[in-house]
Amino acid sequence: SQKIEQNSEALNIQEGKTATLTCNYTNYSPAYLQWYRQDPGRGPVFLLLIRENEKEKRKERLKVTFDTTLKQSLFHITASQPADSATYLCALYNAGNMLTFGGGTRLMVKP
Amino acid sequence: NAGVMQNPRHLVRRRGQEARLRCSPMKGHSHVYWYRQLPEEGLKFMVYLQKENIIDESGMPKERFSAEFPKEGPSILRIQQVVRGDSAAYFCASSPGQAGGSYEQYFGPGTRLTVT
């Protein structure tokens, strides 16, 4: 069966360090992979999209990698700040405009 | 440019009542998606609609749930005869669709349904 796995345990890091979140998937051949941020009580907010033929994408302090051989995406936040604390969701776009989300990883950045 | 609007933000219903959740997509977006998020769980796709058409309802429960996106007005997610297990946050998202060249989805703030 198809699965998207994100580390369900919270990731605690110190301000200024780089946070790295992992998204693994099985039995998918996604054309695109997306990362969203969700704050408590709010809807997800789109951050980055990476296509299957792209290895890496950057946006300000954010970097996403996509390894279709390993079936894995890594999401990095450099120079992390307490304001980066949130739950980060990985989502796969397969076909038909439908997104399938992972369970999310909660990031806590301590000052 | 207003974002995706959802109302009500909070809805309390007794078991057996009907719940109607509304979603107005972003201006220029013709594709609407509904997701459900149970407490401590991830977002689960329910249904994908375009104006006057249901494109994919593979995530919708077979009974009591229906969705529409009429030519005029917001998209409606309707839950009949609600049960306690329907208590969740329901999110609507919109996108311009493939024709718009954009695949990201823009989410509303959600409707939190509580069934007592």
Side-chain angles (χ1 to χ4, degrees), chain A residues 41-56:
Chain A
R42 294 178 176 265
V45 175
F46 171 79
L47 295 175
L48 278 170
L49 176 153
I50 188 165
R51 300 167 198 268
E52 61 179 340
N53 60 352
E54 297 175 319
K55 295 288 185 192
E56 183 180 296

Side-chain angles (χ1 to χ4, degrees), chain A residues 32 34 36 38 40-46 49 51 89 93 95-104 106, chain B residues 9 31 33 35 37 40-43 45 48 55-56 58 91 95 97-98 101 103-105 107-109 112:
Chain A
Y32 306 86
Q34 304 184 17
Y36 288 77
Q38 187 173 24
R42 294 178 176 265
V45 175
F46 171 79
L49 176 153
R51 300 167 198 268
L89 306 170
Y93 173 89
N97 271 39
M98 195 174 87
L99 281 178
T100 303
F101 284 85
R106 188 180 303 175
Chain B
R9 294 292 308 276
H31 298 236
Y33 314 81
Y35 296 85
Q37 189 170 40
E40 305 303 322
E41 290 190 18
L43 280 163
F45 167 80
Y48 161 39
I55 307 302
D56 186 335
S58 57
F91 291 97
S95 78
Q98 292 188 19
Y103 295 90
E104 61 262 34
Q105 296 183 8
F107 282 79
R112 273 142 194 88

Side-chain angles (χ1 to χ4, degrees), chain B residues 14-79:
Chain B
R14 290 200 179 99
R15 279 181 297 168
Q17 290 185 320
E18 178 180 288
R20 278 183 179 242
L21 288 62
R22 294 175 185 77
C23 169
S24 296
M26 283 182 71
K27 187 176 180 181
H29 286 190
S30 57
H31 298 236
V32 165
Y33 314 81
W34 285 93
Y35 296 85
R36 177 164 64 176
Q37 189 170 40
L38 293 166
E40 305 303 322
E41 290 190 18
L43 280 163
K44 302 294 183 191
F45 167 80
M46 298 181 75
V47 62
Y48 161 39
L49 309 106
Q50 294 180 25
K51 283 285 187 182
E52 298 185 281
N53 286 306
I54 297 174
I55 307 302
D56 186 335
E57 55 182 347
S58 57
M60 287 274 272
K62 292 289 186 282
E63 298 176 348
R64 302 188 297 108
F65 285 72
S66 62
E68 61 176 9
F69 190 13
K71 187 176 180 181
E72 302 289 339
S75 174
I76 306 285
L77 179 68
R78 182 182 176 205
I79 310 172

